[in-house]
Amino acid sequence: MSLSFTCIIWLPVTTYLAGTSGRPRSSIKGRFILDVATMYVGLPRFHEAFFGRVAGLKTTSEAIFKKCMEGGEPLFSNGWSGWPTDANQDHVLSWFAELNEKLEKTQPNKPVQGFTAEQKLDVGFVDNPKARKDSRYHWSHILVPGELKSNPSADIYSKAWLDIGTYAREVLAAQDTRRFVLGFTICGSLMRIWEFDRLGGIASERFDINTDGLQFVSTVLGFLCMSEKELGFDLTIRTANDKRFIEIERDGLTERLVIDEVMQRARCIAGRAITCWKAYREGYTQIPLVIKDSWQYPERDEEGELLREATNQGVVNVARYYYHETASGDVLSNRVHRRVILRNYGKSIYKVSSRSALLAALEGCIEGHESLQRKAGLLHRDISINNLMINEDDDNLSWPSFLIDLDLAVREQRDGASGAKGKAGTRVFMAIGVLLGEQHSFMHDVESFFWVLFWICIHYDAQGKDIGPTEFDSWNYEGDNKLVRPKAGRIGDESIFLKIAEENFTSYYQPLIPLVNRLRRKVFPNGER
């Protein structure tokens, strides 16, 4: 891909939010703050940091801007010619289109190949040289999203900043090899440049494009001339003969792992941002592998090392180790891009074919959890609906059911109380005691198995069909103390629990009410934690 085949467009936006349980939402505005750990606006020398690496940009920008100021009717003279005084969004779009055509004639290599528009949303750069005004694009085509506002006062979090963050979130979700996203906002004639990565968002100081025309030209050309790496793409994932692959060094040999499909891509900006691909070693299509990329805290035990240790100790029903590495050399201030490859492939437990198979899979995963603790001394700490897997394919040599994701796992203390301090896990499945700040223990994970089964019985029909929103969806976002009350209130009294189950379990899972109640009695003896 080359940005010499780029155009500016209005983006038709279609968005949804995946909560921590993996259930879709109709809108992501208002939830964006949940994804961004930090947002710093007004960083000096931002332009130099991100565009200074583009070879020849300074010289080219100065030459082009000089031409913009020449002639009897210069493009720039005390401001850009034709700039709409009202900064109306549609008028600004038309101005961009006209300026685009004029700059195209000015630039030696003509990097801008066209201009296309869709009404009423936002402007950005795409990688399609055939873009036209009536073209429509998916987020997978967007290289640099932008946001236009007519009023300079919209340069605040609740308006332009929220919008550009929302768009960056969608780009990251749709492009599975994207490590970060650059963008821009223009409010009136005030412009900022943005970067969103797994730590959050940062933005440049704002500048007036009608006062600093050279910086505006340099910014546009910078976006057009950036390489894939400079735009945030992961170059370790390559393409040849219409196949995507990575190469690894294992046991002294180079192996090519061909990517079949995307299994999971986290819909978030900040965080671990887990992406999983189904793959196979070239020449061994019958043996499925899973490639998992994530952004981890450097001080945390590497998941690859924990998995290798568990596999070597003979742990059962836990995804088996194949390989791990640091995926790329660029390290954020407190995140590192790690890659783990597993020898087990399956689907999330809620997609199971029958009720009896669900119970058998749950039992197998509980056995895996116990084996992980007894044989390897590891506590999982993130028992959740997407970390319990089932394999119902007779040709798949993976475990029939198994645990994945040791990102939050810890080694149990040998010389003191078991467990680890600090809250960990997926919110809706976290044990009540963990929400209250108790030291995380083996029994807290056992309680999480109960909440996984409870959640499945309420939210899914046969074959894992999602029934849509329920009153329990707010558990994804409730604060710790607020979430404790509804959880405790549903398990303490048997008659209350049975009434809740009868009213909320799907018709498909109604027959499991007696069994789920028996499990409740075991996990919460006498209705207590």
Coordinates of all heavy atoms in Angstrom, one line a residue, residues 231-316:
L231 N 2.2 4.9 9.5 CA 0.8 5.0 9.7 C 0.3 4.1 10.8 O -0.9 4.2 11.2 CB 0.1 4.7 8.4 CG 0.0 5.8 7.4 CD1 -0.5 5.3 6.1 CD2 -0.9 6.9 7.9
G232 N 1.2 3.2 11.3 CA 0.8 2.4 12.4 C 0.5 0.9 12.1 O -0.1 0.2 12.9
F233 N 0.9 0.5 10.9 CA 0.6 -0.9 10.6 C 1.7 -1.8 11.1 O 2.9 -1.4 11.1 CB 0.5 -1.1 9.0 CG -0.8 -0.5 8.5 CD1 -0.9 0.8 8.1 CD2 -2.0 -1.3 8.4 CE1 -2.1 1.3 7.6 CE2 -3.1 -0.8 8.0 CZ -3.2 0.5 7.5
D234 N 1.4 -3.1 11.4 CA 2.3 -4.1 11.9 C 2.9 -4.8 10.7 O 2.3 -5.6 10.1 CB 1.6 -5.0 12.9 CG 2.5 -6.1 13.4 OD1 3.7 -6.1 13.1 OD2 2.1 -6.9 14.2
L235 N 4.2 -4.5 10.4 CA 4.8 -5.1 9.3 C 5.3 -6.5 9.5 O 5.8 -7.2 8.5 CB 6.0 -4.2 8.8 CG 5.7 -2.8 8.5 CD1 6.9 -2.1 7.9 CD2 4.5 -2.7 7.5
T236 N 5.2 -7.1 10.7 CA 5.5 -8.5 10.9 C 4.5 -9.4 10.3 O 4.8 -10.6 10.1 CB 5.7 -8.8 12.4 OG1 4.4 -8.7 13.0 CG2 6.7 -7.9 13.0
I237 N 3.3 -8.9 10.0 CA 2.3 -9.7 9.3 C 2.4 -9.3 7.8 O 2.1 -8.1 7.4 CB 0.9 -9.4 9.9 CG1 0.8 -9.9 11.3 CG2 -0.2 -10.1 9.0 CD1 -0.5 -9.6 12.0
R238 N 2.8 -10.2 7.0 CA 3.1 -9.9 5.6 C 2.1 -10.7 4.7 O 1.3 -11.5 5.1 CB 4.5 -10.4 5.3 CG 5.5 -9.6 6.1 CD 6.8 -10.4 6.4 NE 7.5 -10.8 5.1 CZ 8.5 -11.7 5.1 NH1 9.0 -12.1 6.3 NH2 9.0 -12.0 4.0
T239 N 2.1 -10.3 3.4 CA 1.2 -10.9 2.4 C 2.0 -11.3 1.2 O 2.8 -10.6 0.7 CB 0.1 -9.9 2.0 OG1 -0.6 -9.5 3.1 CG2 -0.8 -10.5 1.0
A240 N 1.7 -12.5 0.7 CA 2.3 -13.0 -0.5 C 1.4 -14.0 -1.1 O 0.8 -14.9 -0.4 CB 3.7 -13.7 -0.3
N241 N 1.1 -13.9 -2.4 CA 0.2 -14.9 -3.1 C -1.2 -14.9 -2.5 O -1.8 -16.0 -2.3 CB 0.8 -16.3 -3.2 CG 2.2 -16.3 -3.9 OD1 2.3 -15.6 -4.9 ND2 3.1 -17.1 -3.4
D242 N -1.6 -13.7 -2.1 CA -3.0 -13.5 -1.5 C -3.1 -14.2 -0.2 O -4.2 -14.5 0.3 CB -4.1 -14.0 -2.5 CG -4.1 -13.2 -3.7 OD1 -3.9 -12.0 -3.6 OD2 -4.4 -13.8 -4.8
K243 N -2.0 -14.6 0.5 CA -2.0 -15.2 1.8 C -1.3 -14.3 2.8 O -0.2 -13.8 2.5 CB -1.4 -16.6 1.8 CG -2.2 -17.6 1.0 CD -1.6 -19.0 1.1 CE -2.4 -20.1 0.4 NZ -1.8 -21.4 0.5
R244 N -1.9 -14.1 3.9 CA -1.2 -13.4 5.0 C -0.4 -14.4 5.9 O -0.9 -15.5 6.2 CB -2.2 -12.6 5.8 CG -2.8 -11.5 5.1 CD -3.4 -10.4 6.0 NE -4.4 -11.0 6.9 CZ -4.9 -10.4 8.0 NH1 -4.4 -9.2 8.3 NH2 -5.8 -11.0 8.8
F245 N 0.7 -14.0 6.4 CA 1.5 -14.9 7.2 C 2.5 -14.2 8.1 O 2.7 -13.0 7.9 CB 2.3 -15.9 6.3 CG 3.3 -15.2 5.4 CD1 4.6 -15.0 5.9 CD2 3.0 -14.7 4.2 CE1 5.6 -14.3 5.1 CE2 3.9 -14.0 3.4 CZ 5.2 -13.9 3.8
I246 N 3.0 -14.9 9.1 CA 4.1 -14.4 9.9 C 5.2 -15.5 9.8 O 4.9 -16.6 9.4 CB 3.8 -14.2 11.4 CG1 3.4 -15.5 12.1 CG2 2.6 -13.2 11.5 CD1 3.3 -15.4 13.6
E247 N 6.4 -15.1 10.1 CA 7.5 -16.0 10.1 C 8.2 -16.0 11.5 O 8.3 -15.0 12.1 CB 8.6 -15.7 9.0 CG 8.1 -16.0 7.6 CD 9.2 -15.8 6.6 OE1 10.2 -15.2 6.9 OE2 9.0 -16.4 5.5
I248 N 8.5 -17.2 12.0 CA 9.1 -17.3 13.3 C 10.3 -18.2 13.3 O 10.4 -19.0 12.3 CB 8.1 -17.9 14.4 CG1 7.6 -19.4 14.0 CG2 6.8 -17.0 14.5 CD1 6.8 -20.1 15.0
E249 N 11.2 -18.1 14.2 CA 12.4 -18.9 14.3 C 12.1 -19.9 15.5 O 12.0 -19.5 16.7 CB 13.6 -18.1 14.6 CG 14.0 -17.2 13.5 CD 14.6 -18.0 12.3 OE1 15.1 -19.1 12.5 OE2 14.4 -17.5 11.1
R250 N 11.9 -21.2 15.2 CA 11.6 -22.1 16.2 C 12.5 -23.4 16.1 O 12.6 -23.9 15.0 CB 10.1 -22.5 16.1 CG 9.6 -23.5 17.2 CD 8.1 -23.6 17.1 NE 7.6 -24.6 18.0 CZ 7.3 -25.9 17.6 NH1 7.6 -26.3 16.4 NH2 6.9 -26.7 18.5
D251 N 13.1 -23.8 17.2 CA 14.0 -24.9 17.1 C 15.1 -24.8 16.0 O 15.4 -25.8 15.4 CB 13.2 -26.2 17.0 CG 12.3 -26.5 18.1 OD1 12.6 -26.0 19.2 OD2 11.2 -27.1 17.9
G252 N 15.6 -23.6 15.9 CA 16.6 -23.4 14.9 C 16.2 -23.3 13.4 O 17.0 -23.2 12.5
L253 N 14.9 -23.4 13.2 CA 14.4 -23.4 11.8 C 13.4 -22.2 11.7 O 12.7 -21.8 12.6 CB 13.7 -24.7 11.5 CG 14.6 -25.9 11.6 CD1 13.7 -27.2 11.4 CD2 15.7 -25.9 10.5
T254 N 13.3 -21.7 10.4 CA 12.3 -20.7 10.1 C 11.0 -21.4 9.7 O 11.0 -22.2 8.8 CB 12.7 -19.8 9.0 OG1 13.9 -19.1 9.4 CG2 11.7 -18.7 8.6
E255 N 9.9 -21.0 10.4 CA 8.6 -21.5 10.0 C 7.7 -20.4 9.6 O 7.7 -19.3 10.1 CB 7.9 -22.2 11.3 CG 8.6 -23.4 11.7 CD 7.9 -24.1 12.9 OE1 6.8 -23.6 13.3 OE2 8.5 -25.0 13.5
R256 N 6.9 -20.7 8.5 CA 5.9 -19.7 8.1 C 4.5 -20.1 8.5 O 4.1 -21.3 8.2 CB 5.9 -19.6 6.5 CG 4.8 -18.7 6.0 CD 5.0 -18.5 4.5 NE 6.1 -17.6 4.2 CZ 6.4 -17.1 3.0 NH1 5.6 -17.4 1.9 NH2 7.4 -16.4 2.8
L257 N 3.8 -19.3 9.3 CA 2.5 -19.6 9.8 C 1.5 -18.7 9.0 O 1.5 -17.5 9.0 CB 2.4 -19.2 11.3 CG 3.5 -19.9 12.2 CD1 3.2 -19.5 13.6 CD2 3.5 -21.4 12.0
V258 N 0.6 -19.4 8.3 CA -0.3 -18.8 7.4 C -1.6 -18.5 8.2 O -2.2 -19.4 8.9 CB -0.7 -19.7 6.2 CG1 -1.7 -19.1 5.3 CG2 0.6 -20.0 5.4
I259 N -2.1 -17.3 8.1 CA -3.3 -16.8 8.8 C -4.5 -17.2 8.0 O -4.7 -16.8 6.8 CB -3.2 -15.3 9.0 CG1 -2.1 -15.0 10.0 CG2 -4.6 -14.8 9.6 CD1 -1.8 -13.5 10.2
D260 N -5.4 -17.9 8.6 CA -6.7 -18.3 8.0 C -7.8 -17.3 8.2 O -8.4 -16.9 7.2 CB -7.2 -19.6 8.7 CG -6.9 -20.9 7.8 OD1 -6.6 -20.7 6.7 OD2 -7.1 -22.0 8.3
E261 N -7.9 -16.8 9.4 CA -9.0 -15.9 9.7 C -8.8 -15.2 11.0 O -8.0 -15.6 11.9 CB -10.4 -16.6 9.8 CG -10.4 -17.7 10.9 CD -11.7 -18.4 11.0 OE1 -11.9 -19.3 10.1 OE2 -12.5 -18.2 11.9
V262 N -9.5 -14.1 11.2 CA -9.5 -13.3 12.5 C -10.5 -14.0 13.4 O -11.7 -14.1 13.0 CB -9.8 -11.8 12.3 CG1 -9.8 -11.1 13.6 CG2 -8.8 -11.2 11.3
M263 N -10.1 -14.4 14.5 CA -11.0 -15.0 15.5 C -11.5 -13.9 16.5 O -12.7 -14.0 16.9 CB -10.3 -16.1 16.3 CG -9.8 -17.2 15.5 SD -8.7 -18.3 16.5 CE -9.8 -18.7 17.9
Q264 N -10.7 -13.0 16.8 CA -11.1 -12.0 17.8 C -10.2 -10.7 17.6 O -9.0 -10.8 17.3 CB -10.8 -12.5 19.2 CG -11.1 -11.5 20.3 CD -10.6 -12.0 21.7 OE1 -10.3 -13.1 21.9 NE2 -10.6 -11.1 22.7
R265 N -10.9 -9.6 17.7 CA -10.2 -8.3 17.6 C -10.9 -7.4 18.7 O -12.0 -7.1 18.5 CB -10.2 -7.7 16.3 CG -9.7 -6.3 16.1 CD -8.2 -6.3 16.2 NE -7.6 -5.0 15.8 CZ -6.3 -4.6 15.9 NH1 -5.5 -5.5 16.4 NH2 -5.9 -3.4 15.5
A266 N -10.1 -7.0 19.7 CA -10.7 -6.2 20.8 C -11.2 -4.8 20.2 O -10.5 -4.2 19.5 CB -9.7 -6.0 21.9
R267 N -12.4 -4.5 20.5 CA -13.0 -3.2 20.1 C -12.7 -2.1 21.2 O -13.5 -1.7 22.0 CB -14.5 -3.3 19.9 CG -14.8 -4.3 18.8 CD -16.3 -4.2 18.5 NE -16.6 -2.9 17.9 CZ -16.5 -2.6 16.6 NH1 -16.0 -3.5 15.8 NH2 -16.8 -1.4 16.2
C268 N -11.4 -1.7 21.3 CA -11.0 -0.8 22.3 C -9.8 0.0 21.8 O -9.2 -0.4 20.8 CB -10.7 -1.4 23.6 SG -9.3 -2.5 23.5
I269 N -9.5 1.1 22.5 CA -8.2 1.8 22.2 C -7.2 1.4 23.2 O -6.2 0.7 22.9 CB -8.5 3.3 22.2 CG1 -9.4 3.7 21.0 CG2 -7.2 4.1 22.1 CD1 -9.7 5.2 20.9
A270 N -7.4 1.8 24.4 CA -6.4 1.5 25.5 C -6.6 0.1 26.1 O -7.7 -0.4 26.1 CB -6.4 2.6 26.6
G271 N -5.6 -0.5 26.5 CA -5.7 -1.8 27.2 C -4.9 -2.9 26.5 O -4.0 -2.6 25.7
R272 N -5.2 -4.1 26.8 CA -4.4 -5.3 26.3 C -4.7 -5.4 24.8 O -3.8 -5.9 24.0 CB -4.8 -6.5 27.0 CG -4.2 -6.6 28.4 CD -4.5 -7.9 29.1 NE -5.9 -8.1 29.4 CZ -6.6 -9.2 29.6 NH1 -5.9 -10.4 29.5 NH2 -7.8 -9.3 29.9
A273 N -5.9 -5.0 24.3 CA -6.2 -5.0 22.9 C -5.9 -6.3 22.2 O -5.1 -6.4 21.2 CB -5.5 -3.9 22.2
I274 N -6.4 -7.4 22.7 CA -6.1 -8.7 22.2 C -6.7 -9.0 20.8 O -7.8 -8.7 20.5 CB -6.7 -9.8 23.2 CG1 -6.0 -9.7 24.6 CG2 -6.5 -11.2 22.6 CD1 -6.6 -10.6 25.6
T275 N -5.8 -9.5 20.0 CA -6.2 -10.0 18.6 C -5.8 -11.5 18.5 O -4.7 -11.8 18.8 CB -5.6 -9.2 17.5 OG1 -5.9 -7.8 17.7 CG2 -6.0 -9.6 16.2
C276 N -6.7 -12.3 18.0 CA -6.4 -13.7 17.8 C -6.7 -14.1 16.3 O -7.8 -13.7 15.8 CB -7.2 -14.6 18.7 SG -6.8 -14.4 20.5
W277 N -5.8 -14.8 15.8 CA -6.0 -15.4 14.4 C -5.9 -16.9 14.4 O -5.1 -17.5 15.1 CB -4.9 -14.9 13.4 CG -4.9 -13.4 13.2 CD1 -5.6 -12.7 12.3 CD2 -4.0 -12.4 13.9 NE1 -5.2 -11.3 12.4 CE2 -4.3 -11.2 13.3 CE3 -3.1 -12.6 14.9 CZ2 -3.6 -10.0 13.8 CZ3 -2.4 -11.4 15.4 CH2 -2.7 -10.2 14.8
K278 N -6.8 -17.5 13.6 CA -6.6 -19.0 13.4 C -5.5 -19.1 12.3 O -5.6 -18.4 11.3 CB -7.9 -19.6 12.9 CG -7.8 -21.1 12.7 CD -9.1 -21.7 12.2 CE -8.9 -23.2 11.9 NZ -10.2 -23.8 11.3
A279 N -4.6 -20.0 12.5 CA -3.5 -20.2 11.5 C -3.1 -21.6 11.4 O -3.6 -22.5 12.1 CB -2.3 -19.3 12.0
Y280 N -2.1 -21.9 10.5 CA -1.5 -23.2 10.4 C -0.1 -23.0 9.9 O 0.2 -22.1 9.2 CB -2.3 -24.1 9.5 CG -2.4 -23.6 8.1 CD1 -1.5 -23.9 7.1 CD2 -3.5 -22.8 7.7 CE1 -1.6 -23.5 5.8 CE2 -3.6 -22.4 6.4 CZ -2.7 -22.7 5.5 OH -2.8 -22.2 4.2
R281 N 0.8 -24.0 10.3 CA 2.1 -24.0 9.7 C 2.0 -24.4 8.3 O 1.4 -25.4 7.9 CB 3.0 -25.0 10.5 CG 4.4 -25.0 10.1 CD 5.2 -26.0 10.9 NE 6.6 -26.2 10.3 CZ 7.5 -27.1 10.8 NH1 7.1 -27.9 11.8 NH2 8.7 -27.1 10.2
E282 N 2.7 -23.7 7.4 CA 2.7 -23.9 6.0 C 3.1 -25.4 5.7 O 4.1 -25.9 6.2 CB 3.6 -23.0 5.3 CG 3.5 -23.0 3.8 CD 4.3 -21.9 3.1 OE1 5.5 -21.8 3.4 OE2 3.7 -21.1 2.3
G283 N 2.2 -26.1 5.0 CA 2.4 -27.5 4.7 C 1.8 -28.4 5.7 O 1.8 -29.7 5.6
Y284 N 1.2 -27.9 6.8 CA 0.5 -28.7 7.9 C -0.9 -28.1 8.1 O -1.2 -27.8 9.3 CB 1.4 -28.7 9.1 CG 2.7 -29.3 8.9 CD1 3.8 -28.5 8.5 CD2 3.0 -30.6 9.2 CE1 5.1 -29.1 8.3 CE2 4.2 -31.2 9.0 CZ 5.3 -30.4 8.6 OH 6.5 -30.9 8.4
T285 N -1.7 -28.1 7.1 CA -3.0 -27.4 7.3 C -3.9 -28.2 8.2 O -4.9 -27.6 8.7 CB -3.7 -27.4 5.9 OG1 -3.8 -28.7 5.4 CG2 -2.9 -26.5 4.9
Q286 N -3.7 -29.4 8.5 CA -4.6 -30.2 9.4 C -4.4 -29.9 10.9 O -5.1 -30.4 11.7 CB -4.4 -31.7 9.1 CG -3.1 -32.3 9.7 CD -1.9 -32.1 8.8 OE1 -1.9 -31.3 7.9 NE2 -0.8 -32.8 9.1
I287 N -3.3 -29.2 11.2 CA -3.0 -28.9 12.6 C -3.3 -27.4 12.9 O -2.5 -26.6 12.5 CB -1.6 -29.3 13.0 CG1 -1.3 -30.7 12.7 CG2 -1.3 -28.9 14.4 CD1 0.2 -31.1 12.9
P288 N -4.4 -27.1 13.5 CA -4.7 -25.6 13.7 C -3.9 -25.0 14.8 O -3.5 -25.7 15.8 CB -6.2 -25.7 14.1 CG -6.4 -27.0 14.8 CD -5.5 -27.9 14.0
L289 N -3.5 -23.8 14.6 CA -2.8 -23.0 15.6 C -3.5 -21.7 15.8 O -4.4 -21.3 15.0 CB -1.4 -22.6 15.1 CG -0.4 -23.8 14.8 CD1 0.9 -23.3 14.2 CD2 -0.1 -24.6 16.1
V290 N -3.3 -21.1 16.9 CA -3.9 -19.8 17.2 C -2.7 -18.8 17.5 O -1.9 -19.0 18.4 CB -4.8 -19.8 18.4 CG1 -5.3 -18.4 18.8 CG2 -6.0 -20.7 18.1
I291 N -2.7 -17.7 16.8 CA -1.8 -16.6 17.0 C -2.5 -15.5 17.9 O -3.5 -15.0 17.5 CB -1.3 -16.0 15.7 CG1 -0.6 -17.0 14.9 CG2 -0.3 -14.8 16.0 CD1 -0.3 -16.6 13.4
K292 N -1.9 -15.2 19.0 CA -2.5 -14.2 19.9 C -1.5 -13.0 20.1 O -0.4 -13.2 20.5 CB -2.9 -14.8 21.2 CG -3.4 -13.8 22.2 CD -3.6 -14.4 23.6 CE -3.9 -13.3 24.7 NZ -4.0 -13.9 26.0
D293 N -2.0 -11.8 19.7 CA -1.2 -10.6 20.0 C -1.9 -9.8 21.1 O -3.1 -9.7 21.1 CB -1.1 -9.7 18.7 CG 0.0 -10.2 17.8 OD1 0.4 -11.3 17.9 OD2 0.4 -9.4 16.9
S294 N -1.1 -9.2 21.9 CA -1.7 -8.3 22.9 C -0.6 -7.3 23.4 O 0.6 -7.5 23.2 CB -2.2 -9.1 24.1 OG -1.2 -9.9 24.7
W295 N -1.1 -6.3 24.1 CA -0.2 -5.2 24.6 C -0.1 -5.4 26.1 O -1.2 -5.2 26.8 CB -0.7 -3.8 24.3 CG -0.5 -3.6 22.8 CD1 -1.4 -3.9 21.8 CD2 0.6 -3.0 22.1 NE1 -0.9 -3.5 20.6 CE2 0.3 -2.9 20.8 CE3 1.8 -2.5 22.6 CZ2 1.2 -2.4 19.8 CZ3 2.7 -1.9 21.7 CH2 2.4 -1.9 20.3
Q296 N 1.0 -5.8 26.7 CA 1.1 -6.1 28.1 C 2.0 -5.2 28.9 O 2.8 -4.5 28.3 CB 1.7 -7.6 28.2 CG 0.9 -8.6 27.5 CD -0.4 -8.9 28.1 OE1 -0.6 -8.7 29.3 NE2 -1.3 -9.4 27.3
Y297 N 1.8 -5.2 30.2 CA 2.7 -4.4 31.1 C 4.0 -5.2 31.1 O 4.1 -6.4 31.3 CB 2.1 -4.3 32.5 CG 0.9 -3.5 32.6 CD1 -0.4 -4.0 32.8 CD2 1.0 -2.1 32.4 CE1 -1.5 -3.2 32.9 CE2 -0.2 -1.3 32.5 CZ -1.4 -1.8 32.8 OH -2.5 -1.1 32.8
P298 N 5.1 -4.4 30.9 CA 6.4 -5.1 30.9 C 6.8 -5.9 32.1 O 7.4 -6.9 32.1 CB 7.4 -4.0 30.6 CG 6.6 -2.9 30.1 CD 5.2 -3.0 30.6
E299 N 6.3 -5.4 33.3 CA 6.6 -6.0 34.6 C 5.8 -7.2 34.8 O 6.2 -8.0 35.8 CB 6.4 -5.0 35.7 CG 5.0 -4.5 35.9 CD 4.6 -3.3 35.1 OE1 5.3 -3.0 34.1 OE2 3.5 -2.7 35.4
R300 N 4.8 -7.5 34.1 CA 4.0 -8.7 34.3 C 4.6 -9.9 33.7 O 5.3 -9.9 32.7 CB 2.6 -8.5 33.7 CG 1.6 -9.6 34.0 CD 0.2 -9.4 33.4 NE -0.4 -8.2 33.9 CZ -1.0 -8.1 35.0 NH1 -1.1 -9.1 35.8 NH2 -1.6 -6.9 35.4
D301 N 4.5 -11.1 34.4 CA 5.0 -12.3 33.8 C 4.5 -12.5 32.4 O 3.3 -12.3 32.1 CB 4.5 -13.5 34.7 CG 5.2 -13.6 36.0 OD1 6.4 -13.0 36.1 OD2 4.7 -14.1 37.0
E302 N 5.4 -12.9 31.5 CA 5.0 -13.2 30.1 C 4.0 -14.4 30.0 O 4.3 -15.5 30.5 CB 6.2 -13.4 29.3 CG 7.0 -12.1 29.0 CD 8.0 -12.4 27.9 OE1 7.6 -12.8 26.8 OE2 9.2 -12.0 28.1
E303 N 2.9 -14.2 29.3 CA 2.0 -15.3 29.2 C 2.6 -16.5 28.5 O 2.4 -17.6 28.8 CB 0.8 -14.8 28.4 CG -0.3 -15.9 28.2 CD -1.4 -15.6 27.3 OE1 -1.3 -14.6 26.5 OE2 -2.4 -16.3 27.3
G304 N 3.5 -16.2 27.5 CA 4.2 -17.3 26.8 C 5.0 -18.1 27.7 O 5.0 -19.4 27.6
E305 N 5.7 -17.5 28.7 CA 6.5 -18.3 29.6 C 5.6 -19.1 30.6 O 5.9 -20.3 30.9 CB 7.4 -17.3 30.5 CG 8.5 -16.6 29.7 CD 9.6 -17.6 29.2 OE1 9.6 -18.8 29.7 OE2 10.4 -17.2 28.3
L306 N 4.5 -18.5 31.0 CA 3.6 -19.3 31.9 C 3.0 -20.4 31.1 O 2.8 -21.5 31.7 CB 2.5 -18.3 32.4 CG 2.9 -17.2 33.2 CD1 1.7 -16.3 33.7 CD2 3.7 -17.6 34.5
L307 N 2.6 -20.2 29.9 CA 2.0 -21.3 29.1 C 3.0 -22.4 28.8 O 2.7 -23.6 28.9 CB 1.5 -20.8 27.7 CG 0.2 -20.1 27.8 CD1 -0.1 -19.3 26.5 CD2 -1.0 -21.0 28.0
R308 N 4.3 -22.1 28.5 CA 5.3 -23.1 28.3 C 5.5 -23.9 29.6 O 5.7 -25.1 29.5 CB 6.6 -22.4 27.9 CG 7.8 -23.4 27.7 CD 8.8 -22.8 26.8 NE 9.4 -21.6 27.3 CZ 10.3 -20.9 26.7 NH1 10.8 -21.3 25.5 NH2 10.8 -19.8 27.2
E309 N 5.5 -23.2 30.7 CA 5.7 -23.9 32.0 C 4.6 -24.8 32.3 O 4.8 -26.0 32.7 CB 5.7 -22.8 33.1 CG 6.1 -23.3 34.5 CD 6.3 -22.1 35.4 OE1 6.9 -21.1 35.1 OE2 5.8 -22.2 36.6
A310 N 3.3 -24.4 32.0 CA 2.1 -25.2 32.2 C 2.2 -26.4 31.3 O 1.9 -27.6 31.7 CB 0.9 -24.4 32.0
T311 N 2.5 -26.2 30.1 CA 2.6 -27.4 29.1 C 3.7 -28.4 29.5 O 3.4 -29.6 29.5 CB 2.9 -26.8 27.7 OG1 1.8 -25.9 27.3 CG2 3.0 -28.0 26.7
N312 N 4.8 -27.9 29.9 CA 5.9 -28.8 30.4 C 5.5 -29.5 31.6 O 6.1 -30.6 31.9 CB 7.2 -28.0 30.6 CG 7.8 -27.4 29.3 OD1 7.5 -27.9 28.2 ND2 8.6 -26.4 29.4
Q313 N 4.7 -29.0 32.5 CA 4.2 -29.6 33.7 C 3.1 -30.6 33.5 O 2.6 -31.2 34.4 CB 3.8 -28.6 34.7 CG 5.0 -27.7 35.3 CD 6.0 -28.6 36.0 OE1 5.7 -29.5 36.7 NE2 7.3 -28.2 35.9
G314 N 2.6 -30.7 32.2 CA 1.6 -31.7 31.9 C 0.2 -31.2 32.3 O -0.7 -32.1 32.6
V315 N 0.0 -29.9 32.4 CA -1.4 -29.4 32.8 C -2.4 -29.8 31.7 O -2.1 -29.7 30.5 CB -1.3 -27.9 32.9 CG1 -2.7 -27.3 33.0 CG2 -0.5 -27.5 34.1
V316 N -3.5 -30.3 32.1 CA -4.6 -30.7 31.1 C -5.6 -29.6 31.0 O -5.8 -28.7 31.8 CB -5.3 -32.0 31.6 CG1 -4.3 -33.1 31.7 CG2 -6.0 -31.8 32.9

